[in-house]
Amino acid sequence: MIPLSFAQRRLWFIQQLEGPSATYNIPVSLRLTGAVDRDALAAALRDVLARHEVLRTTIRVEDGEPHQHIHEMGDLDWALQTVELPDTATPADLAGAVAGVFGHTFDLSTELPVRAWLFSAGPDEHALALLVHHIASDGYSKRPLAQDLSTAYAARCAGEAPAWEPLPVQYADYALWQRELLGDSADPDSVGSRQVAFWREALADAPEELALPFDHPRPPVPSHQGLSAPFTVPADVHARLRELARAEGVTTFMAVQAVLAMTLSKLGAGTDIPVGTAVAGRTDVALRDLVGFFVNTLVLRTDLSGDPTFREVLNRVRETSLAAMANQDVPFEKLVEELAPARSLARHPLFQVMLSVDHATQAQVDLGAVRAGSLADVATDDVTANLKKIAKFDLEIAVDEHVDAEGAPAGLQGSVIVAADLFEQDTATDLAERLARALTALVTDPATRLSAVDVLTETERDLLLHQWNATTTDVEAALVPDLFEAHAQLTPEAVAAVFEGTELTYAELDTRANRLAYHLLGLGVSSESVVGLCLPRGLDMLVGILAVWKAGGAYVPLDPEHPEERLSYILRDSGARAVVSTRDAAEGAAARLGVERVVWLDDPATLTGLDRMPAVAPSRHTNPANLAYVIYTSGSTGRPKGVGVGHGALANLVSVF
């Protein structure tokens, strides 16, 4: 039995776990203008399947272990599916039809991992849709696939079979060779063991989940629905990027990785930024022209500690990337198995941000007189969005380098793809704009430190510093008891205060304060009188404060734990006419301090008297001119630190600190 490669095994496991889905589909679409020889195209596609065994391989399971089952061409009824659209169909209609089939879900146990459709809207308007599951292909495979299809189509149009050189190996050979290369995991000197040891050290204590500016909480299971936003970097900035990269001995990818890490850090991701990237995985020349799933994923960790400059980050990234490339043979799937990070269906293991930087040259299909172009150029916005809706990661950044005819930098075209479960479209757009802005600023001044990287627009800065802080408003002068009574009338049944499980509504608090205020008035408290409050924190304290204010007086907080000398001074200096307390809090304190009028709130006689008092607020003769406060210090002299006059809603207040 031929085993699956490590990468194939992971995708197979995901399908077993989640069920068939379009998440790992690789779509290829072409707009074909001209007279297409349908029979030749159908035969050419079968020639490609005959040449690449992986495209005619299904997965069978025996004794719980999956393995490759390669089908003979004579046993297959696989064919190009043709669909006729009305002659009135536009190129945009063709693009929409293609987008509709790209959601197909493969059953890898019974179905070949490739399907093809030819949509026609007249003799000269066609669209070719080729859908390959990732388990049988990768991004680099598009080149040999396009080359072989072109060769086979030309031969079939001429009535011949393609005369290409046989491939030196097939994907099944690679799956066996991969295990031989890595060696025995029990052997510490094997390639696999040495590289796993490297990654174990390189990724030690890396963050399990990167803190990104999410709009929504992470769901238990991702939907893999995505949103995308484009960004561009002009040719002059691209040129400066290349010059800087050359001067610092880094690649364009490394420079973009450094910019991305610094940008994410400024958005709250911290100073330890793991980013995933894909490498071709075709380390042997025999694999160059083979279709298959060879790509491997590396985790590149960027250290941003110590507020480094951009130039310093480039040097750190270079060292990390070179070391990672020297240990790229161990498959990511094997690495996850060996490192055993905390696993969750909700997020990708070891990293959640993916970065790719490629040259914009695309695999070209040559169909002779038939002109092949991009369907994306004629697709409507909703169709284009549908074609790019898959999100395998929280955040994915793809950048294409463009060059002119002389090979000079012609700009960068990028896209930010975010998981729709976590981000809104506006956030994706903001991320794209911030990344482009940071790249421009950093390549212009490589001495810029992380702390100085500016990811805000002028509009955002004005919003943060000025608009959100423009809270000045005109408020009519009023006393606190007046404001409280007005609110109590509006929401009498709303809860005003809660303490240790006991609640008071606004109406209840207002009534209790009113009755205590009448009681204080009966003791001679009036405008500019001072009342001591010797009460613990709780609802009685709130009632006491309001009652003193409603009576027109000011209150002095008293702590029975304070020295008697200090309490005596405060009461004497403030001229307190009465004290409100409970016997549990201050029994004996008032008598020792020479205060005659004490309202014991826990005395049955007092409670009975309060119940007989009116529930409505007493008339007040206080105005803002009466408002004053005295601040008492806790110093050894006990003398006032200062005396001042307050206005507005401060009410009659004597505060002790």
Side-chain angles (χ1 to χ4, degrees), residues 428-450:
T429 302
D430 288 344
L431 286 170
E433 293 175 353
R434 295 184 207 282
L435 185 60
R437 191 161 56 247
L439 191 151
T440 300
L442 289 170
V443 300
T444 301
D445 183 7
T448 302
R449 293 194 176 276
L450 175 64

Side-chain angles (χ1 to χ4, degrees), residues 530-561:
V530 175
V531 177
L533 292 183
C534 190
L535 294 166
R537 293 179 181 273
L539 300 179
D540 284 341
M541 174 64 82
L542 290 180
V543 172
I545 291 173
L546 275 174
V548 173
W549 285 345
K550 285 172 176 283
Y555 74 91
V556 178
L558 300 171
D559 188 341
E561 299 298 325

